[in-house]
Each structure stands twice: as C-alpha cells, then as structure tokens.
Amino acid sequence: MEAGHGPGLLGAMLAVFSGSSMVGAATAASIGERMPRLVVYTAAFLLTGFPRFLVLAVDVPLALVFATLATGGFASGFLNPILSAVMFERIPKPLIGRVTSMSAALCWTLIPFGGLFGGALISGIGLPAALLLTGTAYLAATLLPLARRSFRGFEKRRIADANSS
C-alpha cells in the first residue's frame, strides 16, 4: 500500500518524538524531585504509549500525529529519571552495578525480537490491526503496575541498605 510519504516523514516523526523526549528529560531533571512519582510515572506511560499507536493506526491529519508524538515524547522523558531513582534507592550499593548492567543487557537483547514480532504481526494481520493490538498490549502493561501493591512504594524515598548483598 502506498501512502505517498517517504522516509523523510518517518525521520521527522522520530525527530519530533526524540527531541520532545530530551526536553521532557531536562524538565524532569529540574523539577521531577518535587513531583509525585507514581502519578507522573503512570501519566507519562499513558501519554507515551497507546496514543502513538492509535494515531498511526487510524486515518488522522498529519498535524495530529506530530502533536501526539511531541506530547508522548515529552512524557517519555520523565520515565527513566523515575525508574533510575527508584532503582538506585532500592538496590543495595554492592549490587547496583550488576543489577543495572543486567537490566540494560536484557533490554538491549530483547530489542531485535520486537522488530521480528512486529514484522510477523504486520504480515499476519496488517499494519493498522498490528498497531492497535500492540498499543492495547502496551496500555495493559502500563496499567498492570497500578494493580500491584509493590508499586505503591514508588513514593517512599529510601536508601538501600549498604550492607545488604
């Protein structure tokens, strides 16, 4: 199917999302300490995830796609500062290097499988349906932590016991 748009548009979309994410991260670095973590984490994931998939799956004006990507990008900038703060507070000092390295390794190792899965999904059910299915799964994964009691502890700032191992 030909939509009439080339790789330049895709590059512009990624640039808007990435640039907005950098602005969001800078904002989070400057005011994030004063914000409620769980609320910001949840709102950021909700704004970053499903709306992107939705606007790409349905026929909406290109300006709305760019506005959604800019909003989602800005929100995504708040995620890593929150997750990193929680990890550094909760992981015992002697284990920080190992745990954060393992976390990063798992994330980077799984990235290629997302592309393979996405390609297979698009081949099987088409692009719009694949985007909606993936977006719905993203939404469910975003909301799942709210059902877990352990996530209520996001607000509690604590320092990991240095003697734990």
Side-chain angles (χ1 to χ4, degrees):
M1 178 169 87
E2 180 65 37
H5 303 291
L9 178 62
L10 179 60
M13 291 165 63
L14 292 172
V16 165
F17 187 85
S18 300
S20 298
S21 183
M22 288 188 289
V23 172
T27 304
S30 64
I31 65 168
E33 181 68 25
R34 298 182 300 262
M35 300 177 81
R37 285 182 181 173
L38 186 58
V39 171
V40 172
Y41 174 84
T42 303
F45 259 122
L46 288 173
L47 290 171
T48 298
F50 186 71
R52 279 185 303 156
F53 291 97
L54 180 62
V55 298
L56 294 173
V58 298
D59 189 22
V60 298
L62 204 48
L64 181 58
V65 172
F66 276 99
T68 302
L69 291 173
T71 302
F74 181 79
S76 76
F78 284 80
L79 295 171
N80 280 338
I82 292 171
L83 292 172
S84 295
V86 171
M87 287 177 71
F88 280 101
E89 288 172 2
R90 306 292 165 87
I91 299 169
K93 259 189 179 174
L95 299 177
I96 285 176
R98 287 180 265 180
V99 173
T100 56
S101 295
M102 179 61 77
S103 175
L106 285 171
C107 290
W108 282 98
T109 300
L110 294 173
I111 287 173
F113 293 104
L116 291 171
F117 179 74
L121 201 56
I122 292 167
S123 293
I125 63 174
L127 181 60
L131 286 167
L132 288 173
L133 180 65
T134 306
T136 302
Y138 195 116
L139 181 62
T142 298
L143 295 175
L144 182 63
L146 296 178
R148 298 183 54 97
R149 182 174 291 143
S150 61
F151 270 76
R152 304 292 187 274
F154 254 40
E155 298 303 327
K156 296 181 185 113
R157 287 163 170 78
R158 63 180 185 204
I159 305 301
D161 181 7
N163 296 324
S164 302
S165 48

